[in-house]
Amino acid sequence: MKDRCTKYEGLFIFGDEETLIQHIENCEDCRKEQEVMDKVSELLKEVKPYYISKRRNTAKLKIACAMLTIMLSTVTMGVVNFNTDISDIIKYGNTLSAEDLGLPVDAYGLLMVE
């Protein structure tokens, strides 16, 4: 039984192109691996435009969502600022205390416990 050559991966990753080509010319096992790699490379080149177009579409979708969010927040803030009924209800710093909630409190504003 013949031992398979295992140099292809090392030459492909760490070696230079000339050394790899010379080894492929002499070694049948590595030549078969190179043919498989060439087929995979052709398939990737064939489907590349589809993935690039999907990536562009997702980028456009993200931009559209960001613009929609900005527009909605601008409209909401405009309504709150110009409508005094809403802006009187929603004010920064207004918090409900225990007394406002109708709970029993002492002179310091703390909850009374019986």
Side-chain angles (χ1 to χ4, degrees):
M1 185 165 170
K2 181 182 168 187
D3 292 332
R4 290 194 59 194
C5 179
T6 58
K7 294 181 182 179
Y8 180 80
E9 184 177 351
L11 289 173
F12 185 78
I13 294 173
F14 301 112
D16 59 347
E17 192 169 339
E18 293 176 12
T19 310
L20 178 65
I21 291 172
Q22 288 175 358
H23 182 73
I24 288 173
E25 290 174 356
N26 298 330
C27 180
E28 183 66 30
D29 294 333
C30 294
R31 189 176 309 126
K32 288 179 184 177
E33 284 190 49
Q34 181 65 31
E35 289 173 2
V36 170
M37 293 296 266
D38 289 339
K39 288 179 184 177
V40 170
S41 179
E42 288 174 12
L43 286 173
L44 289 174
K45 286 178 184 176
E46 184 178 330
V47 298
K48 182 180 178 181
Y50 299 112
Y51 285 104
I52 289 176
S53 66
K54 281 186 178 182
R55 191 177 313 146
R56 287 184 184 153
N57 288 340
T58 55
K60 289 178 184 177
L61 183 63
K62 287 179 184 178
I63 291 170
C65 288
M67 295 298 291
L68 181 66
T69 303
I70 291 169
M71 287 175 41
L72 286 176
S73 63
T74 304
V75 168
T76 304
M77 294 307 290
V79 168
V80 169
N81 284 336
F82 292 119
N83 192 348
T84 56
D85 296 336
I86 295 175
S87 62
D88 287 342
I89 295 171
I90 305 171
K91 285 189 177 177
Y92 180 72
N94 284 352
T95 57
L96 293 175
S97 64
E99 189 176 10
D100 293 337
L101 294 173
L103 299 172
V105 293
D106 60 4
Y108 297 107
L110 301 173
L111 287 174
M112 282 190 352
V113 181
E114 295 180 12

